[in-house]
Amino acid sequence: MSLAELGEFGIIERFAKRLERPIENLVTGIGDDCAVIRPAPGRHTLITSDMMVAGVHFLLDRTEPSDLGHKALCTGLSDIAAMGGRPVCFFLSLALPGGTPVSWLERFFDGLGALATEFGVTLAGGDTVASPVVAVDITVLGQGEPKNLVRRKGARAGDLILVTGYLGASAAGLHIIKNEIGINNLPGRLHEAAALACHAHRRPWPRLREAAVLVRDAPPTSMMDISDGLAGDLRHITGANGVGAEIWAGSLPMIPGLQDLAAELGNSADLWALSGGEDYELLLTLPEPQAEAAMRAVRGANGTPLTVVGRITDSLEVVFLDRQGRQFSPIGGHDHFGGHQ
Ligand code: ADP
Ligand code: MG
């Protein structure tokens, strides 16, 4: 059966309603003209939207629908995490060709629903339209105590720069998927790295638990999530604060084997880590004395590493230093990396 036969109402009844759960703030959910939400006393409301269009943000024929559902929600949850907030509910707008098989939508909602359940968020509404291309837009609503919200503004010269998890794996995964590289032919250690990289690309994980313990135990001076690569995203923090930064390439946290995998595939792991997108890790700044407490808190939350990768400076410039302390530019192709592989 295709969507044209199921109809808009059928989609809402059969799939969207399944993702509704009773939560305290939601007075009225799916089925009325608007969702009605009761604001929690003393909390600010956080709102973030992300749109994904087939052919622009993902390749329809190389994307498992459950991965797409997962990722579409993950990006919004990651934004809520990056502010130090807690997600409450989300809105889903779907543009779908009439010929889309119902089984495609089933898998899409499976991936979406599993992540929503994991973080206790409910689907509260949306829109469904027929369209020549698949597009998915998710708006997530969250809340946070005003004093706990962490903005991009706030970093000070001397603060350390830290990231959660690992960088570059998602970019490596995208490279493998896009170029249809058969990872089963790779030798053991490289195969493991490649499988991890593909997983990182398909199933990024929002760092909500990590952000929650950070704001509680070691509040960052600034924070954001890395969606466009550390090098580019860091400029949003330095720009917001009129400061500069120094990034140490030798300190970038990478999954085991990523350097060897990059070499095997004629790429640069440093470039993946600095300029590859979609890691959805947290990028944050902290005064040095708080770094130990922050690392302990984050590891305690989920076993996630938190790694110092550089320092905020008062120079107005973002500088990248290789393992020998030489300055290099991560933008403009991996020729620049020839010297320190
Ligand atoms: P209206 O025409 O008033 O906008 P719709 O017929 O589009 O209402 O939607 C009816 C109800 O179903 C609304 O509560 C809306 O939020 C919800 N809804 C529609 N599409 C979706 C979707 N893709 N996911 C979740 N809820 C949806
Ligand atoms: Mg509508």
Side-chain angles (χ1 to χ4, degrees):
M1 188 165 51
S2 71
L3 293 192
E5 295 160 84
L6 186 62
E8 181 190 340
F9 190 67
I11 293 171
I12 297 167
E13 278 300 310
R14 180 156 163 191
F15 297 111
K17 285 228 164 199
R18 243 180 39 203
L19 268 56
E20 258 195 317
R21 54 166 64 224
I23 59 156
E24 204 189 315
N25 304 60
L26 190 69
V27 183
T28 304
I30 296 172
D32 217 315
D33 296 309
C34 289
V36 180
I37 291 160
R38 185 188 304 113
R43 302 278 158 85
H44 279 347
T45 301
L46 310 174
I47 306 173
T48 175
S49 291
D50 281 286
M51 178 140 83
M52 297 177 77
V53 179
V56 181
H57 303 97
F58 63 96
L59 299 168
L60 193 58
D61 58 349
R62 294 202 202 144
T63 306
E64 158 57 39
S66 64
D67 292 339
L68 182 66
H70 172 100
K71 218 163 164 174
L73 180 58
C74 175
T75 55
L77 295 181
S78 177
D79 283 327
I80 300 285
M83 297 298 291
R86 190 175 74 76
V88 174
C89 62
F90 66 103
F91 297 82
L92 167 69
S93 290
L94 280 172
L96 299 165
T100 308
V102 168
S103 60
W104 188 95
L105 207 60
E106 229 152 49
R107 274 144 62 207
F108 173 84
F109 272 95
D110 278 349
L112 182 64
L115 190 62
T117 302
E118 175 76 29
F119 289 102
V121 289
T122 181
L123 181 55
D127 202 12
T128 310
V129 298
S131 147
V133 290
V134 174
V136 181
D137 178 84
I138 289 189
T139 296
V140 181
L141 248 75
Q143 62 183 30
E145 285 185 50
K147 69 170 175 41
N148 281 351
L149 298 182
V150 188
R151 294 170 174 80
R152 294 176 181 189
K153 191 163 166 53
R156 289 175 294 241
D159 283 356
L160 294 177
I161 302 168
L162 302 97
V163 295
T164 57
Y166 303 99
L167 299 178
S170 178
L174 176 64
H175 177 84
I176 290 165
I177 294 164
K178 226 163 80 180
N179 294 293
E180 297 181 295
I181 295 166
I183 67 169
N184 290 332
N185 304 327
L186 295 170
R189 191 174 136 77
L190 294 188
H191 175 263
E192 244 170 72
L196 265 176
C198 291
H199 183 77
H201 184 73
R202 294 187 173 119
R203 295 278 172 150
W205 198 249
R207 299 303 194 183
L208 282 159
R209 296 192 176 104
E210 291 78 357
V213 295
L214 276 170
V215 299
R216 189 192 65 198
D217 293 349
T221 48
S222 71
M223 184 155 69
M224 65 181 297
D225 67 332
I226 305 178
S227 50
D228 297 328
L230 172 65
D233 284 335
L234 181 61
R235 287 176 207 278
H236 296 303
I237 286 184
T238 55
N241 293 288
V243 293
E246 205 178 86
I247 293 292
W248 311 320
S251 302
L252 299 172
M254 295 183 196
I255 57 167
L258 195 75
Q259 298 276 2
D260 296 339
L261 180 66
E264 173 79 17
L265 302 179
N267 264 263
S268 155
D270 287 356
L271 193 64
W272 279 337
L274 287 171
S275 306
E278 299 195 299
D279 287 312
Y280 298 107
E281 296 295 350
L282 296 172
L283 167 63
L284 54 117
T285 57
L286 273 176
E288 190 158 4
Q290 255 125 74
E292 280 295 323
M295 287 177 192
R296 223 175 308 120
V298 169
R299 196 171 280 284
N302 244 352
T304 308
L306 179 69
T307 310
V308 177
V309 298
R311 190 187 288 282
I312 296 290
T313 63
D314 56 12
S315 75
L316 294 180
E317 254 185 300
V318 178
V319 169
F320 299 88
L321 300 176
D322 70 12
R323 289 162 184 75
Q324 282 76 43
R326 290 174 311 208
Q327 205 171 315
F328 70 95
S329 164
I331 298 128
H334 56 259
D335 282 4
H336 294 279
F337 293 80
H340 56 94
Q341 271 296 306

